Amino acid sequence: FYLVLDMRTGRMQYTTAGHPFPFHLRKSVGTVSMLPAGGGGKGPALGLFDNASYGAASGTLEPGDLLLFYTDGLSEAEGPGRELFEDREMTASLQQLLPLEPGALLTDLVAAARKFKGSTDFEDDVCLLAVELTKLLPTR
């Protein structure tokens, strides 16, 4: 995932090379959504194709917003009925965890995935990163 963020305006441009699009958590209004793919969609993993292209999408972060980056080891965790964690549980879990500070949110999200799976083991790597915009820089 590649992101460029203007710290004065909150404007961001981004693209992805195979990884899931991050979640955008807006604590001020209580919403959880996946960053939209825009016209670019999800590009192929880096290095697989000589002439791969990666379209860009854009959006805006407000102070207090959080971006949650994660690998598919978390989202593709399977529950007892072979349903994936990403299908409904991940968004529902994030909605419940929204008031927490980033570190606690990450810890509790992994715990929610383990509970959903009924196991502490994951079939694939699990990596999470939370980025919170605390304030915008002053304009010149």
Side-chain angles (χ1 to χ4, degrees), residues 29-97:
V29 292
T31 61
V32 173
S33 60
M34 193 168 285
L35 279 182
K42 187 189 295 187
L46 285 177
L48 290 182
F49 306 102
D50 289 337
N51 297 317
S53 65
Y54 301 88
S58 61
T60 303
L61 289 181
E62 302 286 336
D65 286 3
L66 185 94
L67 292 178
L68 172 66
F69 301 90
Y70 59 96
T71 57
D72 59 4
L74 180 71
S75 59
E76 293 176 357
E78 283 189 17
R82 301 196 49 93
E83 181 180 7
L84 299 180
F85 186 60
E86 70 185 349
D87 288 343
R88 286 189 306 252
E89 290 294 321
M90 195 163 172
T91 301
S93 294
L94 286 169
Q95 193 69 52
Q96 290 180 339
L97 301 172

Side-chain angles (χ1 to χ4, degrees), residues 92-108:
S93 294
L94 286 169
Q95 193 69 52
Q96 290 180 339
L97 301 172
L98 192 59
L100 299 179
E101 293 300 314
L105 184 142
L106 297 180
T107 299
D108 288 1

